[in-house]
Amino acid sequence: MSQKTPGTNWPLVPYGKGHGGIERAHPPEVAVEQFIHQQNLEHYRRLLAAPDQTDEVRRQTILKLLAEEMSKDSIPGPANGT
């Protein structure tokens, strides 16, 4: 039997690998957030690939934004207990 979000018939769904677990969120909200996340990744990569991208400060800013967005995909490792 699957777990349900309290007060609803919606199942608990993953909210993103970077959040370290299961969140109580409505499936449509999760889908929107995942869509925005993918669009952000594509946008930053497109900006970096543009041939007219010569401003180094802007490039570094875009790289930072891309890294932050990509970090939402990373799964935190298990605690090593030390």
Side-chain angles (χ1 to χ4, degrees):
M1 181 173 178
S2 66
Q3 292 181 327
K4 302 284 185 187
T5 301
T8 71
N9 284 331
W10 295 320
L12 292 176
V13 293
Y15 183 72
K17 297 175 188 172
H19 294 281
I22 302 295
E23 297 288 330
R24 291 183 175 104
H26 304 300
E29 293 170 357
V30 172
V32 169
E33 289 184 19
Q34 290 173 348
F35 174 79
I36 292 169
H37 171 66
Q38 289 303 316
Q39 292 298 306
N40 285 342
L41 291 173
E42 291 175 21
H43 178 67
Y44 297 142
R45 289 177 177 137
R46 213 173 15 253
L47 288 174
L48 289 171
D52 62 341
Q53 185 55 257
T54 57
D55 182 357
E56 190 58 31
V57 173
R58 184 167 187 239
R59 180 175 165 70
Q60 290 301 316
T61 301
I62 295 167
L63 283 169
K64 179 182 175 189
L65 291 169
L66 178 60
E68 289 173 2
E69 196 68 33
M70 290 174 70
S71 73
K72 295 176 184 177
D73 284 334
S74 66
I75 300 172
N80 61 10
T82 58

